[in-house]
Amino acid sequence: MSSERERTYHHGDLRRAILTAALDVIATEGPAALSLRDLARRAGVSHAAPAHHFKDRTGLLTAVAAEGYALFADALAGAPDLRERGVAYVRFAATHPAHFQVMFQPDLHRADDPDLLAARARATEALRSGVADLPPAGRGEDDRLAGVAAWSLAHGFATLLLTGNLADAMAGRDPEEAFRSLAALVFAPESGGGG
Amino acid sequence: MSSERERTYHHGDLRRAILTAALDVIATEGPAALSLRDLARRAGVSHAAPAHHFKDRTGLLTAVAAEGYALFADALAGAPDLRERGVAYVRFAATHPAHFQVMFQPDLHRADDPDLLAARARATEALRSGVADLPPAGRGEDDRLAGVAAWSLAHGFATLLLTGNLADAMAGRDPEEAFRSLAALVFAPESGGGG
DNA sequence: CACGCGAACTTGTCAATGACTAGATGCCGG
DNA sequence: CCGGCATCTAGTCATTGACAAGTTCGCGTG
């Protein structure tokens, strides 16, 4: 009774309800299993209601991606140094698997959406500013490469984690902690390995 | 004989024709755009013909993933050392984007398919044997982490490349060559940086 | 060479879905 | 009190995946 269902004609917060339901489906069954009509059913509205908020299926996924990039930017901004930013990267993927999947599958969303672009720009900025912490490599070309390397490491780890490819390698270990030691191993092998 | 279309009642090599068409669609429009009926149309057969070879949509994607892992294992096996195996990893992703995408999207295929499991086991073996080349880190735990690190680096780079996220960072550069220098930078920063 | 068995393919059908249109409802500002 | 307009409903259509039943034909067997 906490949430009298058939409130009135209007749902109240259908957009959020659809988004939340979509995230649930994507996280458990993957983006392919997403159906607008199913989401409408879950929200207790008619089959055409979602279209008003998201235009079409791609529109919904675009909204998911945009929200994902916004949350991603916040998560990255909170990290103090490069390594913790990598940890935040992995944590975000583990905590928001649905967002992460849609964000990095360009064929699912409209990459030219203004909201998405803005959020993505924020996330990119948070990522770039972290690379500045890297030990200076002398040449600017190496700096760029080192940035791509850091990004690749975090992104690869996160992706493999979400696809279940690290299940046996991790074996009940905390992924974040594993990535922390891994990053230490890779980026400062001679510095004593300390924090 | 090689091209007379309406040969007879039988297509001749429908399975391969459907697979090839599927790879084309996936590579250009993504897995979501895949339609069995469209593939049947391209091959000039009836809409139910593909089902005989692949059972259903998931079956087709499972076959794609299985073929992908087989090709992947071959590609990895040809590389002499760990770094070149990483380069082969990236090259495979760039050369077989459709295979790669389906292989690493568990929600698209049946992960318990025998053919897929066998091919994947081969690929995993090729990957593991490469990790043995790593500079001994002393503890076995570090060895495992180093293996995951190498895999993450290659996989992250490949994934970011395929999703277009390295477009500006690479800027017309050869991805394989970029990864080679990147790997040198990361895994042997003190060894002179040569190549 | 006749034959029939089974694989490869076709035709027909059904439920589900995405997308679109037109109409109903009720909140909110004037 | 009232009218505009965002929100939601109801109805419809083309497309798709999946399934069932029938057709064609390659091929091994006797």
Side-chain angles (χ1 to χ4, degrees):
Chain A
M1 299 321 185
S2 64
S3 57
E4 304 145 51
R5 268 303 138 230
E6 51 274 274
R7 192 177 308 274
T8 56
Y9 192 88
H10 292 62
H11 178 282
D13 197 4
L14 182 58
R15 187 186 154 90
R16 170 79 350 236
I18 297 283
L19 271 175
T20 304
L23 293 172
D24 183 47
V25 171
I26 296 171
T28 59
E29 304 174 60
L34 202 70
S35 151
L36 289 180
R37 289 173 110 103
D38 176 51
L39 298 178
R41 250 171 272 144
R42 292 182 184 224
V45 296
S46 86
H47 63 89
H52 186 76
H53 293 276
F54 303 104
K55 170 72 176 169
D56 55 14
R57 212 184 101 107
T58 303
L60 168 59
L61 289 169
T62 302
V64 168
E67 182 179 78
Y69 275 114
L71 293 169
F72 194 39
D74 295 346
L76 291 177
D81 58 5
L82 177 64
R83 191 192 306 177
E84 286 308 312
R85 218 162 296 223
V87 174
Y89 200 110
V90 171
R91 176 167 43 229
F92 177 84
T95 317
H96 304 91
H99 284 114
F100 193 85
Q101 281 183 72
V102 178
M103 285 159 63
F104 289 101
Q105 260 176 297
D107 57 305
L108 291 181
H109 58 252
R110 266 181 280 270
D112 58 341
D113 177 81
D115 289 351
L116 190 150
L117 283 178
R120 193 158 75 97
R122 267 212 311 135
T124 302
E125 183 50 37
L127 222 47
R128 274 199 213 287
S129 72
V131 174
D133 301 347
L134 269 178
R139 285 179 289 274
E141 182 60 19
D142 278 8
D143 272 3
R144 172 181 301 199
L145 274 183
V148 173
W151 191 10
S152 294
L153 192 72
H155 190 78
F157 189 90
T159 303
L160 290 173
L161 189 66
L162 284 194
T163 52
N165 282 101
L166 296 184
D168 51 343
M170 295 288 97
R173 242 180 108 161
D174 176 38
E176 289 180 39
E177 195 48 48
F179 180 79
R180 216 186 305 263
S181 1
L182 184 152
L185 194 66
V186 167
F187 276 106
E190 329 273 331
S191 70
Chain B
M1 323 330 180
S2 62
S3 59
E4 298 155 46
R5 268 305 137 230
E6 50 273 274
R7 190 177 310 272
T8 56
Y9 192 87
H10 293 62
H11 179 281
D13 198 4
L14 182 56
R15 186 186 155 90
R16 170 88 335 247
I18 297 283
L19 271 174
T20 303
L23 292 172
D24 183 47
V25 171
I26 296 172
T28 58
E29 305 174 60
L34 202 70
S35 151
L36 289 179
R37 288 172 110 102
D38 176 51
L39 298 178
R41 250 169 272 146
R42 294 184 183 221
V45 297
S46 84
H47 62 88
H52 187 76
H53 293 277
F54 303 104
K55 166 75 175 171
D56 56 15
R57 212 185 102 107
T58 304
L60 168 59
L61 289 169
T62 301
V64 169
E67 182 179 78
Y69 275 114
L71 293 169
F72 194 39
D74 294 347
L76 291 177
D81 59 4
L82 177 65
R83 192 194 303 178
E84 286 309 312
R85 218 162 297 222
V87 173
Y89 199 113
V90 171
R91 175 167 45 227
F92 176 83
T95 316
H96 307 274
H99 284 114
F100 193 86
Q101 282 184 72
V102 178
M103 286 159 61
F104 290 100
Q105 260 176 293
D107 57 304
L108 291 182
H109 57 252
R110 266 183 280 271
D112 59 341
D113 178 81
D115 289 351
L116 189 150
L117 283 178
R120 191 157 74 98
R122 262 206 322 133
T124 302
E125 183 50 37
L127 221 48
R128 274 198 212 288
S129 73
V131 173
D133 300 348
L134 269 178
R139 284 179 290 275
E141 182 61 19
D142 278 9
D143 271 3
R144 172 180 300 198
L145 274 182
V148 173
W151 191 10
S152 294
L153 191 73
H155 190 77
F157 190 91
T159 305
L160 290 172
L161 189 67
L162 284 194
T163 52
N165 283 100
L166 296 184
D168 51 343
M170 295 290 95
R173 238 180 111 159
D174 176 38
E176 287 180 40
E177 195 47 49
F179 180 79
R180 217 187 303 264
S181 3
L182 183 152
L185 194 66
V186 167
F187 277 104
E190 328 274 330
S191 70

